[in-house]
Amino acid sequence: MDGAAFSEVRNLAAQDIPAVAAMFWRMFKPAHTKLPASLADYLSELYLDPENSTDIISQVHIRQGAVTGFIGALPLKMILDRRTSSRTQDGDLAFCSSIGLSENRD
């Protein structure tokens, strides 16, 4: 099997944000518009903010060194019996906020 066919899924890192922003813009942009620089800043703040630090981390799919997919996870707080919690007995809670795939899925 050719090594180029292998891919990996790993935690989102700061160096992935420009590719994630470009992927997000391709999927949701208004027609004939350019990627705003502020989008990368926003996504970095949203998904890499240390204030949201939990065991739930957004993931990227990497193929041939390029980001080809993204799953954005945001931790959620929950109120149960008038107590606020961001954890359950079994672990953290999260909401999958974004899923993206690159157009080139060869």
Side-chain angles (χ1 to χ4, degrees):
M1 187 171 216
D2 184 352
F6 291 104
S7 62
E8 68 173 313
V9 174
R10 63 168 172 72
N11 292 347
L12 175 69
Q15 69 264 19
D16 302 321
I17 293 293
V20 169
M23 185 183 309
F24 185 93
W25 196 250
R26 280 193 309 271
M27 292 173 59
F28 300 111
K29 71 178 180 184
H32 310 294
T33 60
K34 290 188 177 185
L35 172 68
S38 60
L39 181 58
D41 293 338
Y42 171 74
L43 293 175
S44 182
E45 183 178 328
L46 184 64
Y47 293 111
L48 296 175
D49 184 350
E51 295 280 325
N52 292 335
S53 179
T54 69
D55 295 336
I56 299 172
I57 301 170
S58 298
Q59 303 289 298
V60 288
H61 179 264
I62 307 293
R63 179 174 287 157
Q64 297 178 339
V67 175
T68 56
F70 170 70
I71 298 175
L74 297 172
L76 295 178
K77 292 199 186 307
M78 188 172 108
I79 297 175
L80 181 62
D81 291 331
R82 296 187 182 137
R83 290 180 294 158
T84 301
S85 175
S86 60
R87 298 185 67 85
T88 65
Q89 273 185 302
D90 298 324
D92 289 317
L93 301 172
F95 173 73
C96 179
S97 65
S98 298
I99 298 178
L101 296 172
S102 71
E103 294 175 19
N104 184 3
R105 295 183 295 252
D106 295 336

